Amino acid sequence: MSQSPISRGFRGRGRSGDTVTRVPPGQRLVTDFPVLSAGPTPPVDLANWRFAIDDGDSPVGDWTWGQFNALPQTDLTVDIHCVTTWSKLDTSWRGVTIDALLEAAGLSEPPGPFALIHCDGGYTTNVPSEDLVDGKAMIATQFDGETLDPEHGGPARLLVPHLYFWKSAKWVQRIQFLDSEVPGFWEENGYHIYGDPWREQRYDGD
Amino acid sequence: MRETKSLSAPRRLQWMTATVRNVIDETPRVRSLVLDIPGWPGHRAGQHVDVRLTSEDGYQAQRSYSIASPPEAPKLMLTVERLADGEVSSYLAGDLRAGDTFELRGPVGGYFVWTAALGGPLFLVGGGSGIVPLMAMLRHRAAAASEAPATLLYSSRTQADIIYHAELEQLAGKGDGFRLVHTLTRDRPPGWGGLARRVDRAMLEETGFAPAETPRIFVCGPTPFVETAATQLRDIGHAAHLIKTERFGPSGR
Ligand SMILES: Cc1cc2nc3c(=O)[nH]c(=O)nc-3n(C[C@H](O)[C@H](O)[C@H](O)COP(=O)(O)OP(=O)(O)OC[C@H]3O[C@@H](n4cnc5c(N)ncnc54)[C@H](O)[C@@H]3O)c2cc1C
């Protein structure tokens, strides 16, 4: 870091005092909620919405919108960090933890060590199964006390706040547990296979 | 899959030092930077770089900027719009001068990309500085002598805000299958031959290709502009997987 050449005349303004310990390297705080998606926002269709969990190619659980909302709901307030360098503190979400989903599917633990998350529009992202359990992740349907905006992934998105936010895949439809790690859409496009913001794992090889 | 991947060591995106060779004022608020970057690995039209600025006390700020130059150009070009209280843009499109240096790494992004080999038709929809990666595609198309049918629908606030105006007119005059449509949202100068309203569904239908022609569509600009245009394109009947988007921010809220 200290090797970086000084940009003559650049002063910057982002030094953020006591919040600094909550902001990973290379990130800055924002108060709005920027949007990053590779394509158009899909239309919401709750009547045909389904969420499924697969063990490899075998379905182990699936829920309609009504069934999903009848599962135990959890509130989570967390900091989120996008690879495009914005961070947002104390965001509040409501949804169903992956633990609760596994339990509802009659499983005591993920059926495989790796997960591939599938979304409307064909997008995928990969997350190790251990990063999804023990309260670390949920399928979120509410943000800040309101129905989750389609722009931000509504009706439902994955929330894995301790990884860069592209892993918190929007318009989520299915979690497929696998025996080996399969890189998702963003990961195939040069983003890091794991994506820990505290180790600045933005791109492949970081 | 993990095994096959680890056979080839991942290509690490190194921070490189760029030296500003030339600064071009494109509009009153927009400036292009022509850069020398020893060791630049090359890129594809549509990709971006991450820029990192460092102050004397070691404070750093990072932002993404699209590459404006085509892969064929000898030097990399970025084009930056100066935002009133923008931490990084007000420096890059303000204080920065020829001879100054800053860090960048890339190229980043593998999906918002067009190469001449992909062919057409190509429908580009840009708002404001969202023209930048689309310009790289048009410059690449010209450099590769591609005759893939291409249309650019380009929305600017006023005539004076049109970036790359002269070069776009010149490209459109070549008669090689590229069509240019301007629209202005806050201005209708005397004698203006283009459109003068916000991009809407009718405009996208009239200027773009029919869904049956399966055009590759690239939409880029401020987030609300991209949200609206991409949704309308899908409503018109274009397949979602053919609509690629790049949102420059902010959220608009
Ligand atoms: C993939 C990608 C490619 C990009 N390519 C380009 C490019 O080629 N040229 C370019 O000029 N910019 C581009 N941007 C935007 C750029 O990364 C910065 O966000 C922008 O320059 C603002 O940074 P800043 O530090 O000046 O402003 P900040 O200090 O971060 O923000 C200052 C104020 O401006 C608002 N703001 C932030 N971004 C924008 C925006 N894009 N439009 C309007 N208001 C904004 C903020 O909400 C805030 O109020 C790109 C962004 C992405 C994600």
Side-chain angles (χ1 to χ4, degrees):
Chain A
M1 285 282 239
S2 53
Q3 249 79 343
S4 295
I6 307 293
S7 314
R8 182 199 56 79
F10 173 67
R11 318 236 332 228
R13 56 139 211 271
R15 301 163 191 78
S16 31
D18 56 340
T19 54
V20 105
T21 52
R22 289 170 65 184
V23 183
Q27 298 289 112
R28 76 202 136 102
L29 289 179
V30 298
T31 48
D32 62 346
F33 194 166
V35 177
L36 180 74
S37 330
T41 299
V44 176
D45 179 7
L46 295 181
N48 291 304
W49 186 89
R50 292 288 181 285
F51 185 81
I53 292 185
D54 292 354
D55 174 3
D57 293 325
S58 322
V60 290
D62 84 284
W63 296 270
T64 63
W65 183 247
Q67 290 165 338
F68 191 86
N69 283 285
L71 295 171
Q73 304 287 313
T74 301
D75 291 308
L76 207 58
T77 297
V78 289
D79 301 343
I80 57 179
H81 311 290
C82 176
V83 70
T84 62
T85 73
W86 57 265
S87 289
K88 198 170 164 60
L89 303 183
D90 298 321
T91 59
S92 58
W93 304 82
R94 168 170 286 196
V96 180
T97 61
I98 309 302
D99 306 303
L101 280 167
L102 289 171
E103 196 183 319
L107 298 167
S108 56
E109 57 178 49
F114 297 99
L116 189 61
I117 319 298
H118 297 262
C119 304
D120 196 344
Y123 299 105
T124 54
T125 189
N126 59 285
V127 182
S129 301
E130 63 183 0
D131 288 85
L132 295 177
V133 294
D134 300 329
K136 290 199 280 291
M138 65 160 54
I139 303 296
T141 53
Q142 285 187 31
F143 171 71
D144 236 355
E146 313 239 355
T147 307
L148 183 59
D149 249 13
E151 233 176 273
H152 292 304
R157 80 182 295 163
L158 179 69
L159 180 67
V160 211
H162 65 286
L163 301 180
Y164 278 126
F165 210 47
W166 87 79
K167 296 279 185 185
S168 293
K170 296 176 179 182
W171 316 306
V172 66
Q173 294 178 326
R174 186 159 64 94
I175 300 181
Q176 183 183 26
F177 289 101
L178 298 166
D179 292 332
S180 60
E181 187 164 44
V182 175
F185 170 82
W186 296 102
E187 294 78 10
E188 285 283 5
N189 277 290
Y191 288 85
H192 196 274
I193 193 80
Y194 182 64
D196 180 352
W198 294 97
R199 289 185 277 163
E200 255 200 290
Q201 294 173 335
R202 296 178 197 276
Y203 306 120
D204 198 5
D206 275 358
Chain B
M1 229 85 184
R2 190 63 172 156
E3 283 74 21
T4 34
K5 241 190 126 62
S6 55
L7 282 180
S8 60
R11 178 189 60 108
R12 189 150 192 250
L13 286 179
Q14 304 278 4
W15 288 104
M16 293 175 275
T17 300
T19 304
V20 181
R21 280 296 159 231
N22 200 2
V23 166
I24 303 164
D25 284 316
E26 302 280 3
T27 77
R29 292 185 303 123
V30 175
R31 190 177 266 187
S32 288
L33 311 173
V34 181
L35 307 172
D36 255 343
I37 311 164
W40 177 250
H43 69 280
R44 289 175 294 153
Q47 291 186 292
H48 65 269
V49 294
D50 281 1
V51 167
R52 179 165 78 181
L53 302 180
T54 305
S55 71
E56 269 182 54
D57 67 356
Y59 169 77
Q60 296 188 320
Q62 264 183 55
R63 298 289 186 279
S64 300
Y65 291 95
S66 300
I67 301 170
S69 47
E72 293 83 358
K75 292 196 191 319
L76 201 84
M77 181 195 269
L78 305 181
T79 301
V80 179
E81 176 182 2
R82 185 169 54 248
L83 301 178
D85 57 346
E87 182 175 38
V88 172
S89 67
S90 66
Y91 176 78
L92 291 178
D95 300 343
L96 194 72
R97 297 195 295 254
D100 285 344
T101 59
F102 59 85
E103 286 180 294
L104 57 70
R105 62 177 189 157
V108 184
Y111 71 91
F112 196 84
V113 162
W114 182 77
T115 60
L118 288 174
L122 185 61
F123 186 29
L124 309 177
V125 182
S129 56
I131 184 69
V132 178
L134 310 180
M135 192 64 186
M137 295 178 193
L138 290 171
R139 286 170 166 164
H140 166 58
R141 180 181 172 280
S146 159
E147 301 206 335
T151 297
L152 169 67
L153 173 59
Y154 180 19
S155 173
S156 306
R157 276 185 245 185
T158 71
Q159 196 170 14
D161 290 314
I162 299 176
I163 308 170
Y164 316 128
H165 199 168
E167 186 180 348
L168 283 170
E169 297 300 334
Q170 183 250 321
L171 287 175
K174 285 172 55 176
D176 67 354
F178 167 53
R179 210 165 69 88
L180 172 65
V181 182
H182 285 290
T183 189
L184 299 180
T185 57
R186 296 196 192 162
D187 190 19
R188 187 197 286 268
W192 174 245
L195 303 166
R197 61 181 204 272
R198 288 185 177 282
V199 168
D200 56 30
R201 182 178 163 150
M203 194 186 288
L204 291 164
E205 258 179 314
E206 281 154 26
T207 59
F209 301 87
E213 295 177 76
T214 59
R216 292 172 189 279
I217 306 176
F218 294 87
V219 189
C220 185
T223 299
F225 173 90
V226 174
E227 273 305 314
T228 310
T231 301
Q232 287 164 342
L233 284 160
R234 203 199 48 220
D235 291 347
I236 291 169
H238 295 285
H241 74 273
L242 292 176
I243 308 171
K244 307 247 160 80
T245 58
E246 190 90 277
R247 293 160 171 88
F248 277 8
S251 67
R253 266 171 296 162

